[in-house]
Amino acid sequence: YIFFNNIDNSFYNSAIKSGLSPNEIMSLADIFGWDIDFSLEIRKGDSFGVVIDRKFLGEKHIGSIIKYAVFKNKKRIVDAYRYKKKYYNINGVSLQKKFLKAPVDFYRISSHFNKKRLHPIFKTVRPHLGTDYAAPKGTPVYATGDGIIIYKGRKGGYGNTIIIKHGNIYSTLYAHFSKYKKGTYVGKKVKQKEIIGYVGSTGKSTGPHLHYEVIVNGKKVNSQKLKLPSGKILKGNKRELFETNKIRLDVLKSEKIIGLN
């Protein structure tokens, strides 16, 4: 099956109109979750295409595997080829990176990184060194990268907070939790996209949202503009096998597009 569409309003609505199921849309967002922020970066006129292997038991749809996907976002094009249950770009570079673009799924950003923001509670200009993700209370919050929890508890206006240290350079802060995921504690090692808590409105907050910060060498930076090293590159025999698989997928998607036309 092949699906494609231009985005005229929201990614989700455009994907539904193209024929994708909600689960397939979430899988597509997961694939591009290291490269594309589906709230802040999506623009009218962006487009996407997907080649999917759908599994059926009789007439019942029981699962899907995305074999290939492409997303055109502004002036950039990101390809995703499935190989050994992971996804790589056209050059054999893994799409998986050190940090996810966002710590929650399908959200709207209520406040961006801003060093001169009028604080909604105190009505004074205060730096807002992070990004707020407005979401319903109880929405799961993910660790954006592998690391160790170094703080868990109340933290002033942040309310219920978790801080994760990622090696010697990076740390991430997550605030305003309604509650923590059971089993989280200081010193625990967490994996990327592991649930650590749930959206709330504790501390100085005007409504349910997650406040997220990235700290680099002790300095808060704009997570939306954070530049990180690329993913792992396939080499040697693995690269040769990937290229063979990529050719098969290129032929498959070309045949399907011709069939559609």
Side-chain angles (χ1 to χ4, degrees):
Y1 296 82
I2 185 166
F3 305 88
F4 56 88
N5 206 352
N6 291 319
I7 296 173
D8 52 14
N9 183 8
S10 74
F11 163 64
Y12 186 86
N13 289 338
S14 297
I16 286 290
K17 289 179 182 177
S18 75
L20 293 176
S21 71
N23 285 340
E24 289 167 345
I25 295 170
M26 292 301 293
S27 294
L28 185 60
D30 284 343
I31 290 169
F32 292 112
W34 291 276
D35 290 284
I36 298 172
D37 185 315
F38 282 88
S39 178
L40 185 63
E41 295 180 335
I42 299 300
R43 298 287 185 273
K44 183 177 180 179
D46 287 355
S47 58
F48 60 91
V50 193
V51 176
I52 294 179
D53 183 9
R54 281 179 170 171
K55 306 293 184 183
F56 291 86
L57 183 61
E59 295 184 356
K60 183 179 180 181
H61 179 210
I62 59 173
S64 301
I65 297 175
I66 294 177
K67 309 291 286 187
Y68 167 81
V70 60
F71 211 106
K72 183 179 180 183
N73 176 235
K74 291 179 280 190
K75 294 183 178 181
R76 62 175 173 159
I77 298 176
V78 185
D79 290 277
Y81 289 86
R82 183 180 170 88
Y83 174 69
K84 299 291 186 181
K85 298 183 179 180
K86 294 185 178 181
Y87 293 90
Y88 299 83
N89 70 14
I90 197 169
N91 297 313
V93 180
S94 173
L95 295 188
Q96 185 171 352
K97 298 180 177 64
K98 189 175 182 69
F99 291 104
L100 293 167
K101 274 277 192 170
V104 291
D105 285 327
F106 284 100
Y107 49 80
R108 63 179 179 82
I109 294 184
S110 60
S111 179
H112 309 314
F113 182 97
N114 186 349
K115 292 185 177 180
K116 293 183 179 180
R117 183 191 68 152
L118 182 63
H119 195 281
I121 294 176
F122 301 108
K123 305 303 180 185
T124 58
V125 174
R126 297 186 175 199
H128 188 244
L129 304 179
T131 302
D132 288 348
Y133 297 84
K137 181 180 178 181
T139 299
V141 176
Y142 304 116
T144 51
D146 295 351
I148 298 174
I149 296 175
I150 60 171
Y151 184 93
K152 174 193 171 186
R154 298 283 297 193
K155 191 175 177 65
Y158 287 116
N160 294 333
T161 301
I162 283 180
I163 299 176
I164 300 174
K165 187 173 179 60
H166 312 271
N168 296 322
I169 298 175
Y170 301 97
S171 297
T172 51
L173 179 149
Y174 313 75
H176 304 311
F177 286 117
S178 59
K179 63 179 180 178
Y180 305 107
K181 175 72 182 295
K182 186 177 180 180
T184 57
Y185 56 87
V186 172
K188 180 183 179 182
K189 293 182 179 180
V190 293
K191 293 290 186 181
Q192 189 174 69
K193 208 158 187 186
E194 179 176 341
I195 296 174
I196 56 174
Y198 303 90
V199 169
S201 189
T202 55
K204 301 296 184 182
S205 169
T206 56
H209 72 283
L210 174 76
H211 176 79
Y212 174 65
E213 296 180 0
V214 176
I215 300 98
V216 180
N217 288 322
K219 182 180 179 180
K220 296 177 182 180
V221 301
N222 187 344
S223 64
Q224 300 300 315
K225 295 183 179 180
L226 182 65
K227 294 189 181 299
L228 295 167
S230 60
K232 293 182 180 179
I233 304 174
L234 292 172
K235 296 180 180 180
N237 185 54
K238 290 182 178 179
R239 179 61 182 271
E240 292 176 5
L241 292 172
F242 166 78
E243 291 295 338
T244 300
N245 182 68
K246 182 164 73 71
I247 290 172
R248 291 197 191 102
L249 288 173
D250 285 340
V251 171
L252 175 65
K253 68 184 183 183
S254 296
E255 290 176 344
K256 287 185 176 295
I257 290 172
I258 291 172
L260 285 174
N261 292 332

